[in-house]
Amino acid sequence: MEFRKIPELTMHGSHDRSSIVQSSGFFHSDDPDQLVAAICETTWDGKPIPNDGKPPTRKALAAAGVVSQFLTAADVPAKDEETDFRASAALRHIFQNAGIIDDRLARATCAAPDARMEA
C-alpha cells in the first residue's frame, strides 16, 4: 500500500490528467496478476462545479487500468468511538470494484473459463 499526494490529478479544471497518470510509475504494474487501485480524496461543497475534476480523473485512471474510488475530504471524527462511515464505505466500494471482496466482477470479465476459476 502506498500513499501519494497528487493534487493536480483531482483538482478541478480542464488540464490533462492522462499524462499525470502515465508519467507516475506507481499507477502501473509489470505483474499481470497485480491490480492497481486508487482512492482519491476530493473536496465538494454540494454545489455544481464547472470543470469538475472527478469525471476526467476517473476516466484517466480507468484508461490506465486503475480501479478508482473517490472520497470527499471531511473532518476526522472527534472521538475514537465514532466511525468515519464515508471512509469505510469508500474502502468497501474499492474492494468490491476490484473484485477482492466480491469476485462476481472478476469472474464475469474473464474471457476463458479456466481463467475465470483462477480469478
Side-chain angles (χ1 to χ4, degrees):
M1 183 179 301
E2 291 185 34
F3 294 90
R4 303 287 178 165
K5 188 171 185 173
I6 312 172
E8 60 274 9
L9 183 62
T10 57
M11 65 190 265
H12 306 306
S14 60
H15 59 283
D16 180 26
R17 289 156 179 85
S18 299
S19 61
I20 297 168
V21 172
Q22 291 169 357
S23 66
S24 301
F26 42 85
F27 285 123
H28 308 284
S29 173
D30 293 332
D31 183 350
D33 293 328
Q34 189 175 39
L35 174 70
V36 178
I39 294 181
C40 303
E41 187 176 62
T42 60
T43 58
W44 187 53
D45 62 2
K47 299 174 187 169
I49 301 169
N51 292 319
D52 185 2
K54 185 177 171 181
T57 299
R58 186 182 302 278
K59 185 176 179 180
L61 290 169
V66 177
V67 176
S68 63
Q69 178 65 40
F70 290 79
L71 174 65
T72 303
D75 293 333
V76 177
K79 299 178 183 175
D80 289 338
E81 61 268 6
E82 292 182 32
T83 302
D84 186 348
F85 292 108
R86 290 183 285 189
S88 298
L91 191 57
R92 182 180 65 247
H93 289 154
I94 199 163
F95 283 160
Q96 287 173 336
N97 293 342
I100 295 170
I101 294 176
D102 184 344
D103 66 351
R104 290 179 292 172
L105 178 62
R107 289 179 183 266
T109 57
C110 289
D114 56 334
R116 260 197 309 270
M117 293 308 293
E118 287 182 29

